[in-house]
Amino acid sequence: MGHHSNWPEWVYVGVVIALMVWVGSEAWNAERLVEHIPADAEVIKVTGQQWFWTFEHEDGTKEIGELHVKVGHAYKFEITSKDVIHSFNIHDYVVLLDAVPGRINTVWFAPKEVGEHAIQCREYCGLIHYNMRGTLFIEEDKSS
Amino acid sequence: MVLELQKPRPIWQIMFSTHHTDVGLLYLITSLSFLFLGGALALAIRAELFYPGTQIIADSMTFNRIFTVHGTTLIFLFILPFASAVGNYFVPIMVRYKDMAYPKLNAIAFWMIPPAGALIWLGFADFTWYATPPYSIISAPGPAADMWIFGLKILGISSVLGAINFIVTILKCKHPDMSIGQVPLLAWSFLTSSLIILVAIPTFAAALLMLLTDRLGVSGFFNPAMGGDPIAYAHLFWFTFHPEVYVLVIPAIGMMYEIIPRFSRKPIYSHSSGIFAFVLLSMVSFSSWAHHMYATGMSFTEKTVFMIGTLAAVPASAMHVFNFIATMWNGRIKFATPMMWAVGGIALFFSAGAGGVVNAAMPLDFQTHDSYWVVGHFHLFVMGTIAFGSIGFLYYMFPYVTGRMYNEKMGQAHFIMSFIGAVLVFFTQHLLGLYGMPRRVYDYPPIPEWITMNQIASVGAMIIGVSMFIFLINMIYSSAKGKLADTDDPFGLGGKYYYPFEAKNPHH
Ligand code: HEM
Ligand SMILES: [Cu+2]
Ligand SMILES: [Cu+2]
C-alpha cells in the first residue's frame, strides 16, 4: 500500500471533476433559459385537490380535468393546492411543479402543435393519486 | 481467520448474550427475515402492475400501504440491521478488541429493532416512506400512521446508539499497536457512516415529533391550515435522509473492500485513497439534500447551490470504483460467489451514479422527478449496490460463521438470476420514467409502451424472487448439512496472505 505512484487515480479524478463541471454548467445555463418567463404569458391558475385539477383562465372561465390552450401563445401556470401536496405534470412538455397548499408555484410553457396531451399528478396524494389525470387540448388560434 | 466458531447453543443463550458475534447473529437473522418479508411485498407490487386494471391487490389503499411498508422495511429493517450485523462480527476483531466498547448498549440497540418492526408491520401505514405532510397530517389514516412514526423514532434511537458504539470501539478500543490509518477499510466504513448518523438523525427525530404533535392537532408546524409549512418538513426530512443514503451505501462499499482484494489475490490498490474517499463522502453528503426538492418551487439560486453540492459528491464515489478496478487489474481473480456479487454490485453502482448525475442536473430532473426513473435510480443503489454487496458478503462470511460451506452452484445461480433480474427491473424503470409514468401508482392507463415495460419489469422481479428462494434453501440447508469448511482458507485462494486479519481475537 502506498508504494506505487498514484498518478492514474489523480488523472481519473481530474476527468470526473471536469465532467461534473461540464454537466453543471450546461444544466445551469439550460435551466436559466427555461425559467425565463415571457412578459406576455397568459396566466392560468391551476388548483390541485384530491383528486382532480381545476384551471382558471385570465378571463375567469374555469375548467375541471380539461385544459384548452392555443398554439402560439405562452402560458404561465400559477399552481397551488387546496389540501395535500400534488404535482402538476404535462410530461410531453416537461411541465412539472408541485402544487403545495399555502404556496403558489409558477412555471410556463408555449404549446407548439395542435394535439392532446396527458395531464397527471406526479406526487403521491392518497387514494386516487393514480387516477388524478386530465387532458390538455392544444387548439388552433382562430382569433388571429 | 477472523471469527471464533462457536458450538451450537440454545437460542435463548444467544438472545440474552451481549457478545458481539451473538448480537451480530441476532442482527443477521432479523435483517434477513425482513429482506424476505419486504421482498414479498415487492413481488405483490410488481404483480399488480403487470397489467392495467386490478390484478391481485383489491384496492389502492392496500397497494399504497404495501409500497410504504416495502420501502420502510427494506431500508430500515434489512439494510441497516444487516450492516450492523457485519459491523458487530468484524469491527471488534479488525481493531483487535475483545468486544464492542459497550456490549450491553449494543444488545439494547439490537433489541429496539423487533418492536419497531412490529409497529411498522402491524400498523401498515400508507403515507410513503417519507410521510409527507400535509397528507400525513390530515389524510393518512391512524393509528397506522402513528405506529409508523413511533417505529421510526425507535429505529432512529437504535441507530444512534449503534453509531456511538462503533465510533468508540474504533477510536478508543483499537489495539495500541495499530494506527488509525492501519484500520481496515471495512472498519473505516463503519466509522464514517456512524459519524454521519450522529449528525444527520437528530433532525429527522425532531421532525417526527413535530409531525406527531401536528397529527394530534396540538401544533401546526407543517400544516398550512394552521399556518405551518409542509416544505419545512421536506427540508428536515432530506437533511437527514440524503446523508442517510450514504449511511446505507458506505458499509456496503466497505464490504466490497474486503471481498475484492481477497478474490483478486492482490492487496487493495490504495488503502489511503479509500479512507480519503470515505471521509470526503461523509462530509459532502450534507451539501445536497434539497436535490430531492427541485420541483417544490425553489428559486433558481437555491437549485443551483444544491446541484453543485450534489455533483461535488460524485468524484468521491468515483474514487471507490477506481480503487476496485485498479485492485482487480492484473489480479489472479477467482470468481467464486462472493466475488461475483461484489463485481456485479460495482457495475450497478456505476450505472446508478450515472443516473444520479442526470437527476442532479436541474432541467433533466424535471423529466425524471417522481417518475419511475427515480424508482429505478435508487433501486440500483439499494438493491443493485447495497443488497448485492451485502449478499456477497454474507456468502463470504458464511463459512466463518457456520463452519460449513454453502453450495457454490446455487450461490452462482442466485447471483446470475438476480443480476439479470435487476437489469430487467431497474433499467426498464428508468425508461418507464422517461415515458412519463409517475411513481406510486396503483394503476395506469393502457399506453402500449407502459404495458410492455411494466411487464418486463415484473418478469425481472419474479426472476429475482425465484433466485431468493434458491438463496434461502442454500442458507438453511448448508448451515445444517453443508460440507465442513476449511476455515483457514475456505475459498481455496491459496495462502493465508490473503487473510490479513489473521490474529485471533486476543482476549479469547
Ligand atoms: C453519484 C451519487 C448520487 C447522485 C448524484 C444522486 C442523485 C440523486 C438525485 C438528484 C435524486 C432526486 C431525484 C428526484 O427525486 O427527482 C436522487 C434520489 C434518490 N437517491 Fe440518489 N444520488 C446518488 C447516490 C445515491 C445513493 C448512494 C443512494 C442510496 C444508497 C441514493 C438513493 C436515492 C434515493 C432513495 C432517492 C429517492 C428518494 C425518493 O424520492 O424516494 N442515491 N438521487
Ligand atoms: Cu397525486
Ligand atoms: Cu439525495
Side-chain angles (χ1 to χ4, degrees), chain B residues 241-457:
Chain B
F241 280 103
H242 181 75
E244 178 87 1
V245 306
Y246 288 96
V247 172
L248 306 175
V249 86
I250 285 177
I253 293 177
M255 294 174 211
M256 293 172 180
Y257 273 125
E258 278 300 290
I259 296 172
I260 299 285
R262 306 279 172 283
F263 289 84
S264 306
R265 294 183 260 211
K266 262 179 76 193
I268 192 81
Y269 170 77
S270 173
H271 187 79
S272 51
S273 101
I275 295 177
F276 179 78
F278 277 145
V279 173
L280 192 62
L281 261 187
S282 65
M283 292 191 301
V284 286
S285 69
F286 285 94
S287 67
S288 55
W289 75 87
H291 63 209
H292 297 273
M293 300 167 56
Y294 290 151
T296 55
M298 289 198 301
S299 74
F300 179 62
T301 315
E302 279 175 288
K303 279 183 288 205
T304 306
V305 168
F306 285 103
M307 175 182 71
I308 295 171
T310 306
L311 296 177
V314 176
S317 308
M319 281 174 78
H320 291 301
V321 176
F322 183 90
N323 221 343
F324 290 136
I325 294 174
T327 303
M328 290 191 284
W329 201 265
N330 280 334
R332 286 194 299 126
I333 298 178
K334 174 155 186 171
F335 273 109
T337 305
M339 185 64 169
M340 291 187 162
W341 284 96
V343 172
I346 294 165
L348 297 177
F349 179 59
F350 179 83
S351 340
V357 172
V358 171
N359 292 338
M362 310 177 264
L364 298 180
D365 186 60
F366 290 91
Q367 292 263 7
T368 64
H369 178 67
D370 271 342
S371 77
Y372 253 93
W373 170 290
V374 172
V375 180
H377 158 73
F378 70 77
H379 277 88
L380 280 183
F381 281 113
V382 292
M383 173 79 198
T385 311
I386 301 168
F388 271 46
S390 302
I391 291 173
F393 200 82
L394 183 62
Y395 281 110
Y396 173 66
M397 62 194 270
F398 188 87
Y400 301 118
V401 174
T402 64
R404 292 175 186 276
M405 210 54 199
Y406 59 83
N407 180 306
E408 180 67 28
K409 285 229 171 62
M410 285 167 88
Q412 297 193 2
H414 178 202
F415 167 74
I416 291 168
M417 291 171 73
S418 280
F419 189 81
I420 293 173
V423 168
L424 289 180
V425 188
F426 306 130
F427 283 65
T428 312
Q429 286 179 335
H430 280 79
L431 275 180
L432 254 178
L434 294 183
Y435 276 82
M437 177 158 164
R439 61 192 291 201
R440 299 178 169 138
V441 287
Y442 163 63
D443 196 5
Y444 55 94
I447 301 168
E449 292 87 355
W450 289 20
I451 298 178
T452 316
M453 285 187 265
N454 271 299
Q455 292 182 338
I456 295 173

